[in-house]
Amino acid sequence: MNKLERLKSIATKLNDKHHVVASKLNEFEAELIVNLPNIEVYGRSKTVTLEHTSDEDWTYGYIYYSKSALKVAYRSTFDDYVDARENTPNAQRVFSTQSIHEMSNQWKVALIKDEILDSLITSIETNLSADLDSAERATASLVNLFNVEVEHIDRQVKDTLIRSESLLKQWVKAKASVYTDPAESITRSSSYLESVCRQVIESNGSPLPNRIDITNLINAALQEVDLSSYPEESADVKKLTSGVKSMFSAIGAIRTHIGNAHGSSEADLEPDEDLAMLVNNSAAAVSLYLLGKSKT
């Protein structure tokens, strides 16, 4: 083998290695995307020398992950020289960026070292953990706020129903079965609302509607609501009462579709505790409004 053939052999092997390096880097990027679905997180590696442009100058940088892509941020020692002459603060010194698919093979070889990729993963993990901690604190705050609001509604319901043992028992049973039997809780919440409507109607000496269902009962009950305390906003209040009607009707429809009230079938909705809690809290809120604004 002559010298030129040896050069060709070495070049062929080098090209093969570069192909492997490029493939591995692409696979690494793909794995990051798969393992970080729908996550906006940033992470960067340690700084590494990418290439020497002369005996005294070189390009350096780091690989980073952002917006579901791997990129390289880089600058040169000549850039440092220019910034130093212009007294540019370190915080304002700019790195250029480039996709891993665009950078040279030499840079890829420098960046695919284990210590560089490990430092990138560590950085991503640190930032992910910080984001998780922030999310957990935010969730805890929202849960605490929600629990405070629910407890406030619970106290109001109990205070309002203290004179009606029958209604209070219905609501307590609906509340108690939210987590143990969501379907039963929804059925009880709907029955509780029907009973509230009956009480509002009958306590005013008005007749019950011919057809006894939740939609007709709420329509009749709202006729007994006193809106005189805010005449100027009566149009807006009518919108509110229309919303109350819609809420009652929706709860009645959910009750029907869960099958617990009218027999079950394979097509019936299978409720969970979240839906049961929503129905129960909605029932509490609208019943407080009805009982509070009743003309009794």
Side-chain angles (χ1 to χ4, degrees), residues 160-174:
T160 301
L161 300 180
I162 196 68
R163 290 170 295 179
S164 178
E165 185 176 353
S166 174
L167 287 179
L168 182 58
K169 283 183 178 179
Q170 279 186 274
W171 183 79
V172 168
K173 287 181 179 179

Side-chain angles (χ1 to χ4, degrees), residues 14-216:
L14 183 58
N15 283 330
D16 289 343
K17 293 298 182 182
H18 286 163
H19 179 73
V20 171
V21 167
S23 296
K24 292 296 183 183
L25 201 52
N26 291 341
E27 289 175 10
F28 180 67
E29 180 184 51
E31 285 293 319
L32 283 175
I33 294 171
V34 168
N35 286 285
L36 298 169
N38 304 315
I39 298 293
E40 288 292 335
V41 63
Y42 174 84
R44 53 155 292 179
S45 72
K46 298 191 299 183
T47 300
V48 62
T49 299
L50 297 172
E51 68 172 318
H52 285 274
T53 53
S54 70
D55 291 339
E56 297 181 353
D57 293 312
W58 61 90
T59 300
Y60 61 93
Y62 54 86
I63 191 170
Y64 70 95
Y65 182 80
S66 177
K67 297 181 179 179
S68 300
L70 276 177
K71 295 184 178 181
V72 61
Y74 63 94
R75 60 183 282 125
S76 68
T77 50
F78 181 75
D79 294 329
D80 295 340
Y81 169 73
V82 172
D83 285 342
R85 287 193 59 182
E86 296 178 356
N87 295 319
T88 303
N90 288 337
Q92 296 179 18
R93 296 189 177 187
V94 178
F95 278 75
S96 299
T97 62
Q98 194 174 80
S99 166
I100 61 166
H101 309 291
E102 301 170 339
M103 63 185 179
S104 69
N105 289 323
Q106 187 175 355
W107 289 17
K108 291 177 182 178
V109 170
L111 291 169
I112 204 170
K113 295 175 182 176
D114 287 344
E115 62 177 305
I116 302 302
L117 297 185
D118 285 346
S119 66
L120 170 62
I121 292 174
T122 299
S123 175
I124 293 174
E125 183 177 1
T126 298
N127 291 334
L128 267 181
S129 297
D131 289 345
L132 177 60
D133 184 58
S134 297
E136 287 178 340
R137 288 199 303 270
T139 301
S141 298
L142 288 173
V143 168
N144 291 336
L145 178 62
F146 178 77
N147 287 339
V148 168
E149 292 296 328
V150 170
E151 290 173 3
H152 179 63
I153 291 176
D154 288 354
R155 287 195 299 271
Q156 281 187 297
V157 172
K158 291 174 182 177
D159 291 344
T160 301
L161 300 180
I162 196 68
R163 290 170 295 179
S164 178
E165 185 176 353
S166 174
L167 287 179
L168 182 58
K169 283 183 178 179
Q170 279 186 274
W171 183 79
V172 168
K173 287 181 179 179
K175 188 76 174 180
S177 57
V178 165
Y179 293 103
T180 58
D181 191 342
E184 177 66 16
S185 175
I186 291 172
T187 298
R188 289 182 181 276
S189 294
S190 180
S191 298
Y192 162 72
L193 286 178
E194 291 178 354
S195 297
V196 168
C197 289
R198 283 174 175 269
Q199 176 165 309
V200 169
I201 296 167
E202 292 176 340
S203 64
N204 283 287
S206 300
L208 292 173
N210 294 329
R211 182 177 178 182
I212 305 299
D213 60 27
I214 196 167
T215 299
N216 288 300

